[in-house]
């Protein structure tokens, strides 16, 4: 569905296959097309993993033809899309019954509550997959469980997350709960919560050493087993799969070799990577301020602009002029970039991110500090994780959602704030050096977790062993 969910889910399937599981990945045609190069590459190495396409019934669901992935569904059709995806339960079940081996477990993103029926019909356990951290999940759980927002009328009123040893402040606007930020989605949000409570366990793209108290806390709060298996992006590093990194999740707009050659010419730790992921997007005025702030920072940068062709003429002209001014020193990528490959390069020293957990984990795995710029829901809790828990982040100070808000409101982060945040991140003072030290130490722990006898490695092995077919 959304890239931030899809990419780590596929990486997790490949990791499970590495440990002997037979994995079937179900997806719509657009979803399948984006991950097929990665899956095909894994199959060539002998992994037992397959990708199966299931076509949505567009007419039945009231969807435009071809609207089968989160970023190509019109906003007004999003409910129809979720309903259409749920109708795949029957076709997927028939496929799994007809094509061996018979499944022993269903692992589904938490956003697919209908898989409770699929797993029940197949007579197998179902595990919820989360492409997010335990800290985020535990905060959301405790806010709902203890009724922290009861009696709070202002969505921006600060509330302390209950049940945690350390004090964290949230608001209903920035931590509303999944699908609870928009009117009309209450029933779906409740459906997701029921499915989460009924799961037979949780698979999570994080690692125990990074947030041990929150992993344990969430397992206790849910009273269920939690398997932490991340950072799952490290699958590509351990397999030496540079080509799969380049194609991971989508076809890159910029040639990977060209990008690496450009980075090879930069000083170690000097380049800032800027990307807001597959959904979040800086509006025209914000794009101008962001570009001017990056330019003024004096640091070379790679700025990934999703759907840049949709900007108005004035913004497109600004981007062209900026590109001409920074030619050689910086790169503007209009479309999709091989993110993990870029973050892994020694020339990159920091990451300006929307705080999607996928991107945050990739920064952790690469040992990079981050400038945090959340746009909606869990991204604000991910920002707290980076800044307040891990101590590797510099916030631009956004305190209200920039997307999926009840009322339209222009919120623009000015060029001077951007410049200061980048200089703070990339600077040479003790505070900046300490952030870099913490980020590098986290990367060492992340790699250790994925190596033999590491916590994530053990959990992957346990997952495969736990759900092996009876001999």
């Amino acid at each position: 569905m959304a890239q931030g969910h899809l990419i780590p889910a596929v990486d997790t399937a490949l990791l499970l296959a590495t440990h002997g599981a037979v994995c079937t990945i179900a997806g719509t045609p657009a979803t399948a097309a984006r991950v097929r190069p990665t899956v095909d590459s894994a199959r060539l190495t002998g992994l037992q993993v397959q990708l199966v396409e299931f076509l949505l019934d567009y007419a039945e669901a009231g969807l435009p033809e071809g609207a089968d992935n989160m970023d190509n569904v019109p906003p007004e059709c999003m409910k129809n899309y979720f309903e259409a995806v749920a109708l795949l339960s029957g076709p997927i079940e028939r496929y799994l019954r007809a094509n061996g081996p018979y499944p022993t477990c269903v692992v589904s993103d938490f956003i697919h509550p209908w898989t409770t029926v699929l797993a029940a019909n197949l007579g197998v356990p179902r595990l919820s997959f989360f492409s997010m951290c335990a800290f985020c999940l535990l905060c959301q759980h405790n806010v709902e469980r203890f009724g922290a927002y009861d009696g709070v009328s202002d969505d921006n009123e600060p509330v302390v997350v209950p049940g945690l040893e350390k004090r964290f402040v949230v608001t209903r606007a920035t931590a509303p709960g999944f699908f609870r930020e928009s009117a009309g989605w209450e029933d779906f949000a409740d459906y997701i919560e029921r499915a989460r409570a009924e799961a037979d366990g949780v698979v999570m793209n994080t690692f125990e050493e990074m947030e041990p108290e929150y992993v344990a806390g969430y397992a206790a709060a849910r009273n269920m087993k939690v398997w932490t298996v991340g950072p799952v992006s490290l699958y590509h590093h351990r397999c030496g799969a540079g080509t799969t990194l380049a194609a991971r999740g989508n076809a890159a707009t910029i040639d990977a070799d060209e990008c690496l050659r450009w980075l090879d010419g930069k000083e170690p730790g000097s380049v800032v990577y800027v990307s807001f992921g597959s959904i979040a997007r800086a509006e025209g005025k914000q794009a101008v301020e962001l570009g001017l702030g990056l330019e003024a920072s004096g640091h070379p940068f790679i700025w990934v602009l999703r759907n840049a062709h949709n900007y108005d003429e004035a913004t497109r002209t600004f981007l062209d002029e900026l590109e001409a001014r920074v030619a050689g020193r910086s790169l503007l990528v209009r479309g999709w970039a091989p993110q993990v490959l870029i973050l892994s390069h020694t020339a990159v020293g920091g990451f300006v991110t929307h705080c999607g957990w996928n991107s945050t984990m990739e920064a952790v795995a690469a040992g990079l500090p981050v400038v945090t710029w959340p746009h909606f829901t869990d991204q604000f809790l991910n920002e707290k994780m980076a800044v307040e828990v891990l101590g590797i982040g510099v916030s631009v100070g956004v305190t209200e959602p920039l997307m999926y808000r009840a009322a339209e409101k222009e919120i623009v982060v000015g060029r001077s704030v951007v410049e200061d945040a980048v200089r703070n991140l990339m600077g040479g003072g003790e505070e900046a050096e300490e952030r870099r030290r913490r980020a590098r130490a986290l990367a060492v722990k992340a790699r250790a977790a994925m190596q033999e006898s590491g916590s994530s490695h053990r959990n992957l092995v346990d997952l495969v062993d736990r759900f092996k077919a009876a001999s």
Side-chain angles (χ1 to χ4, degrees):
M1 296 179 69
Q3 296 290 79
H5 295 239
L6 169 67
I7 292 173
V10 171
D11 285 348
T12 300
L14 300 183
L15 283 164
L16 290 170
T18 300
H19 294 289
V22 179
C23 294
T24 299
I25 301 168
T28 60
T31 298
R34 292 178 175 184
V35 300
R36 182 168 288 106
T38 299
V39 174
D40 287 348
S41 179
R43 286 171 59 85
L44 289 175
T45 69
L47 295 187
Q48 296 186 81
V49 58
Q50 62 178 330
L51 180 61
V52 184
E53 292 184 26
F54 294 90
L55 190 67
L56 297 183
D57 190 332
Y58 301 112
E60 173 72 16
L63 284 173
E65 192 77 19
D68 66 348
N69 189 276
M70 286 286 283
D71 57 5
N72 64 21
V73 176
E76 66 274 13
C77 296
M78 199 57 72
K79 271 195 172 181
N80 306 66
Y81 172 62
F82 280 103
E83 291 166 3
V85 172
L87 294 175
L88 294 180
S89 181
I92 292 174
E93 180 186 344
R94 289 191 292 273
Y95 176 88
L96 293 173
R97 289 186 181 279
N99 296 271
Y102 193 84
T104 59
C105 182
V106 171
V107 182
S108 59
D109 194 289
F110 80 95
I111 213 170
H112 297 303
W114 53 270
T115 53
T116 54
V117 177
L118 173 65
N121 288 349
L122 291 168
V124 300
R126 178 186 60 87
L127 306 180
S128 288
F129 177 77
F130 287 95
S131 55
M132 52 192 67
C133 61
F135 170 76
C136 170
L137 294 173
L138 184 58
C139 286
Q140 293 279 27
H141 178 78
N142 284 6
V143 164
E144 292 197 34
R145 174 186 172 194
F146 294 107
Y149 296 140
D150 292 353
V152 177
S153 57
D154 185 350
D155 284 353
N156 294 307
E157 181 177 333
V159 170
V160 176
V161 177
L164 300 182
E165 187 173 323
K166 187 176 177 181
R167 186 177 186 271
F168 296 99
V169 176
V170 297
T171 66
R172 186 188 282 113
T174 57
F178 300 113
F179 290 90
R180 298 195 184 280
E181 67 269 31
S182 302
W185 287 86
E186 294 86 356
D187 289 346
F188 188 62
D190 291 342
Y191 187 15
I192 285 178
E193 175 54 30
R194 289 194 302 273
R196 292 169 67 191
E198 295 166 5
D200 297 295
V202 171
V203 181
M204 200 180 293
N205 181 25
T206 186
F207 59 101
E208 290 176 15
E209 293 79 1
M210 182 169 66
E211 46 171 348
E213 65 272 44
Y214 303 113
V215 172
Y218 189 70
R222 284 291 183 187
N223 191 28
M224 63 179 62
K225 172 72 174 175
V226 173
W227 287 273
T228 56
V229 297
V232 297
S233 62
L234 290 180
Y235 160 82
H236 301 273
H237 293 278
R238 60 183 284 180
C239 294
T243 55
T244 67
L245 275 179
R248 183 171 174 260
N250 215 333
T253 308
I254 185 172
D255 178 73
D257 290 337
E258 175 192 342
C259 188
L260 291 178
R261 283 194 298 271
W262 183 86
L263 285 167
D264 287 342
K266 302 302 176 188
E267 293 294 320
S270 65
V271 177
V272 182
Y273 176 71
V274 186
S275 175
F276 289 162
S278 59
I279 296 178
R281 177 175 180 265
E283 295 301 324
K285 186 175 179 180
Q286 181 62 83
V288 171
E289 292 298 308
L290 172 53
L292 290 172
L294 290 172
E295 182 181 19
S297 76
H299 291 278
F301 59 85
I302 297 177
W303 181 14
V304 181
L305 291 139
R306 189 179 69 86
N307 294 336
H309 59 279
N310 288 338
Y311 282 125
D312 59 29
E313 185 178 353
T315 305
R316 293 198 306 271
T317 298
F318 164 78
L319 293 173
D320 289 341
E321 292 172 348
L322 173 66
E323 188 170 34
R325 290 199 303 271
V326 300
R329 178 168 73 86
S330 297
L331 282 178
L332 275 67
V333 179
R334 292 167 176 81
W336 190 260
Q339 179 162 296
V340 173
L341 202 62
I342 292 170
L343 295 177
S344 305
H345 198 283
T346 56
V348 177
F351 182 6
V352 178
T353 174
H354 65 305
C355 300
W357 186 245
N358 206 32
S359 290
T360 305
M361 274 294 274
E362 289 166 1
V364 166
L368 294 175
V370 293
V371 167
T372 57
W373 196 323
H375 281 62
F376 58 92
T377 57
D378 65 299
Q379 294 169 9
F380 286 90
L381 287 170
N382 295 339
E383 176 183 52
K384 287 188 177 296
M385 180 69 173
V387 177
E388 299 179 35
V389 178
L390 302 178
I392 62 169
V394 176
S395 174
V396 297
V398 175
T399 59
E400 297 182 53
L402 306 176
M403 299 173 62
Y404 308 125
R405 41 188 307 129
E408 288 298 319
K409 179 180 178 181
E410 185 180 63
I411 300 174
V412 177
V413 176
R415 65 193 73 176
S416 62
V417 175
V418 175
E419 178 185 353
D420 288 347
V422 171
R423 288 180 179 274
N424 195 357
L425 185 78
M426 303 293 286
E430 179 55 34
E431 189 177 348
E433 289 293 347
E434 182 57 31
R435 268 193 302 272
R436 283 191 279 271
R437 281 194 291 268
R438 284 192 285 261
R440 289 193 296 267
L442 269 176
V444 171
K445 291 180 180 179
R447 282 167 170 72
M450 296 298 289
Q451 291 170 0
E452 191 166 352
S453 80
S455 61
S456 294
H457 183 277
R458 291 196 306 271
N459 284 334
L460 286 161
V461 171
D462 182 62
L463 256 176
V464 174
D465 289 345
R466 187 80 60 102
F467 299 104
K468 270 184 178 174
S471 57

